[in-house]
Amino acid sequence: MEQNCLEQLLDDVVRVDLVLASECDMSVPFQVSGLTTMASTKTEGGATVDRIGAALLSLAYNVQDGDDGEISEPPVLKQTEKRVKAGIVVSHDLQVPVTAFFEATRIAVNLLHTKDFHVILTTHGGDRYMLYSVPNSSEVLLDEQDVNQKSTVKVSLQSMSHVIRLT
């Protein structure tokens, strides 16, 4: 994915969800690099089922029931590649400015401490993208520059691929 395409995608993001890896019914072979799309639903008993579990931390522009924090600016994502013996590893560093509902965000961030999770980015048009983390590589923290005024959720994880579009 080209950098300018990524920036356009991030400007359109209206929701950021952190979902426990154990809640996702998606397995990506870690040695597969260059994965760009993946099915986010499956058919089970004749019904279509979402393969992504419920978010443990949910940040959105238009906060609804179940959301933890409110954002008013697009998130910032930096990706860096590094070649290792296992292949190319992509480090994702995502920063999401939070402007309201700080206590709920704090609680959710604390619940994610030491847990494996994936990041789901949802755009205004409803498209979803995933940052799929390899085991034991995901971290999240809440950087509170001005407590209860402005905070930033900082997410870092490693993957064998760039952003994956969910279909």
Side-chain angles (χ1 to χ4, degrees):
M1 177 176 286
E2 292 182 27
Q3 185 62 27
N4 60 355
C5 293
L6 180 61
E7 289 169 2
Q8 290 171 356
L9 164 74
L10 290 172
D11 284 343
D12 202 24
V13 168
V14 296
R15 166 180 228 77
V16 177
D17 294 314
L18 277 63
V19 180
L20 289 175
S22 60
E23 293 291 316
C24 283
D25 181 21
M26 306 173 99
S27 58
V28 174
F30 298 115
Q31 68 276 15
V32 175
S33 61
L35 185 66
T36 57
T37 60
M38 193 164 57
S40 64
T41 59
K42 68 177 183 178
T43 302
E44 196 172 88
T48 302
V49 179
D50 193 1
R51 298 172 65 197
I52 298 169
L56 199 53
L57 171 60
S58 185
L59 307 168
Y61 274 99
N62 296 318
V63 178
Q64 301 171 0
D65 288 342
D67 292 337
D68 299 298
E70 182 176 51
I71 59 178
S72 61
E73 299 173 30
V76 175
L77 176 63
K78 295 181 182 172
Q79 299 177 93
T80 53
E81 290 183 5
K82 182 178 181 183
R83 183 170 294 281
V84 297
K85 289 181 181 181
I88 295 176
V89 174
V90 181
S91 295
H92 303 271
D93 291 304
L94 179 70
Q95 295 189 16
V96 185
V98 178
T99 55
F101 304 103
F102 302 103
E103 187 58 30
T105 302
R106 271 186 218 105
I107 291 168
V109 166
N110 287 333
L111 290 173
L112 282 164
H113 185 66
T114 71
K115 302 228 177 6
D116 288 335
F117 59 85
H118 308 305
V119 178
I120 308 299
L121 304 170
T122 305
T123 66
H124 179 69
D127 293 329
R128 295 191 302 176
Y129 297 85
M130 176 183 244
L131 305 177
Y132 194 91
S133 67
V134 297
N136 301 315
S137 74
S138 50
E139 296 179 46
V140 61
L141 64 92
L142 184 62
D143 183 4
E144 300 184 271
Q145 298 121 6
D146 298 321
V147 177
N148 291 337
Q149 297 296 319
K150 185 175 181 181
S151 300
T152 303
V153 172
K154 294 184 176 183
V155 177
S156 63
L157 59 90
Q158 292 186 342
S159 180
M160 299 300 278
S161 61
H162 287 272
V163 176
I164 300 170
R165 185 171 193 274
L166 299 175
T167 58

